[in-house]
Amino acid sequence: MLCVAGLLTLMPAAAAARAVRPDPGVSGGPRATAPPPSLLYRSGTQVRLRPGAPEVPYVSALAWVVADAGSGEVLAAHDAHRRLPPASTLKTLFALTVLPVLPGGLSHRVSTEELSDIGPGSSLVGVVEGRSYRVSDLWNGVFLNSGNDAVHVLASLVGGWNTTAARMQAEARALGAHDTYVRSPDGYDAPGQVSSAYDLAVFGRAGLRNPDFARYCSRIDAMFPDGDGDSYGIMNTNRLLTGADGVEPYPGLIGIKNGYTSNAGNTLVAAARRDGRTLVVTVLNPQEGGGYAVYEEARSLLDWGFDAAGRVDPVGSLEPGGVRPRPGPEAPPSTVAAEPAPDEPGWPETGSILGAAGLGAGAVALVLRFKAGRRQRG
């Protein structure tokens, strides 16, 4: 935890660079000041209320963020950089990494090997070995049913499980997300796999800028091929989007991704649009209210964000390149490892992996184009 004095000690150069200094030859000119320092590495709830702004609602989640998706300004947050297991919200980073590589209209026949090593108890959409699927069908399985089987197949098409994890790691760093360590691309609990409310908000915001990502994450239902040449209906498990199980759907909700594991609890990245403004919220592991509390806490944060917009000063930004004083508060060591495991590839090795992945993905795409006969949009 850092005090304000500590932050200011670490940030003078950056603050000075941002400040607008008057011409020394001009006396009495206006002096613009640097933006206030980010509060996102401080523990507890952080908000800068102007007079008359509404109070932040009580939220039991271990960590949360409310941000403006357009500007990237964080309106309020609680333990934004606390490293916690993300569950299937990590699929947002998987999609950001893999969606641009595989055209949705390409078809692929699933092998037995591609469905091996799926974690017990995983959520599945029902991918069958020997059956051919369009890439767009598999993405429906990822976003709507949170299908780990679909993730395994898509990862195999871009170089394999470990290569995909390395590519996701590099993508996170490129987006300025420094709390995320990827061990299992589908979000399945794995030692050392963590993210944060901040990083997941970064991924959600970046995803909304990709039209394919935005379309998949907001889809309520779809048809998915079965193993007999027919298809069956699947529905998005984000109840704040669908209104299932007695959860009232949120007006203007765009979607994004929910998740659950026994280690992570319930997690959610959601976005909604109202009066020309889009907000993104992250809620990680509510401690009260049962399994659907994650939706109700997201609802209250969205309501507050739309009401408070323009009446609060930002406490930080989702834009990359901000000052990182030091890692934020972490989850208990008994739950997750906050730093990379000793056997994590170093960056030279990761660079080699990513280079090979790029070549492999290109080769795969060429093969799939040949098999598909023509390229289609998913």
Side-chain angles (χ1 to χ4, degrees):
M1 180 175 66
L2 295 177
C3 63
V4 173
L7 278 169
L8 293 174
T9 300
L10 288 162
M11 296 177 63
R18 289 193 299 267
V20 178
R21 300 183 182 276
D23 188 327
V26 178
S27 61
R31 180 183 296 272
T33 59
S38 170
L39 303 180
L40 296 179
Y41 281 93
R42 301 177 68 176
S43 62
T45 299
Q46 306 301 324
V47 64
R48 289 183 170 122
L49 298 173
R50 296 177 188 169
E55 294 291 331
V56 176
Y58 170 74
V59 174
S60 73
L62 295 181
W64 53 264
V65 161
V66 183
D68 187 298
S71 67
E73 291 181 345
V74 178
L75 306 184
H78 179 88
D79 286 356
H81 287 285
R82 181 175 181 177
R83 294 175 180 175
L84 295 164
S88 284
T89 55
L90 193 64
K91 289 182 172 78
T92 55
L93 178 59
F94 174 76
L96 285 172
T97 305
V98 179
L99 257 173
V101 179
L102 297 174
L106 298 180
S107 181
H108 172 69
R109 183 177 295 276
V110 175
S111 69
T112 302
E113 292 75 17
E114 290 167 340
L115 296 178
S116 63
D117 299 324
I118 296 176
S122 288
S123 54
L124 305 172
V125 68
V127 177
V128 178
E129 64 183 71
R131 175 75 161 85
S132 291
Y133 297 87
R134 292 185 306 167
V135 167
S136 60
D137 291 328
L138 296 172
W139 281 119
N140 282 332
V142 170
F143 277 97
L144 276 68
N145 261 51
S146 205
N148 289 2
D149 46 357
V151 173
H152 273 254
V153 175
L154 290 167
S156 74
L157 295 178
V158 292
W161 202 242
N162 293 333
T163 297
T164 301
R167 295 181 69 176
M168 290 170 64
Q169 190 74 64
E171 179 73 12
R173 296 299 178 266
L175 291 168
H178 296 275
D179 302 317
T180 300
Y181 291 95
V182 181
R183 299 293 183 267
S184 184
D186 54 7
Y188 192 82
D189 284 336
Q193 178 155 280
V194 290
S195 189
S196 66
Y198 177 89
D199 284 13
L200 291 166
V202 168
F203 303 152
R205 180 190 183 219
L208 294 179
R209 296 175 173 180
N210 180 316
D212 291 330
F213 184 112
R215 185 176 69 255
Y216 286 122
C217 81
S218 62
R219 186 166 287 164
I220 292 177
D221 54 29
M223 300 300 293
F224 192 82
D226 64 13
D228 301 319
D230 204 349
S231 59
Y232 53 89
I234 58 174
M235 178 172 284
N236 202 311
T237 58
N238 182 349
R239 293 164 179 83
L240 203 60
L241 177 66
T242 66
D245 299 317
V247 176
E248 188 72 20
Y250 192 84
L253 196 80
I254 298 170
I256 302 188
K257 192 71 190 74
N258 58 313
Y260 173 81
T261 68
S262 57
N263 197 26
N266 287 283
T267 60
L268 178 67
V269 183
R273 185 165 182 81
R274 181 185 300 173
D275 298 329
R277 183 187 301 273
T278 300
L279 298 182
V280 59
V281 302
T282 308
V283 180
L284 298 181
N285 200 353
Q287 301 296 289
E288 302 173 9
Y292 299 155
V294 70
Y295 302 113
E296 299 309 325
E297 295 194 355
R299 183 194 310 278
S300 66
L301 290 173
L302 285 167
D303 284 345
W304 175 84
F306 285 118
D307 192 19
R311 297 197 282 168
V312 298
D313 293 316
V315 295
S317 175
L318 300 181
E319 289 289 337
V323 175
R324 296 181 61 245
R326 65 176 179 85
E330 299 162 0
S334 60
T335 305
V336 296
E339 295 299 330
D343 61 351
E344 180 178 30
W347 282 111
E349 292 178 67
T350 303
S352 299
I353 291 172
L354 295 178
L359 292 172
V364 167
L366 288 173
V367 171
L368 289 174
R369 288 190 188 99
F370 178 78
K371 290 171 61 178
R374 60 188 179 91
R375 181 169 175 165
Q376 302 172 338
R377 291 293 296 174

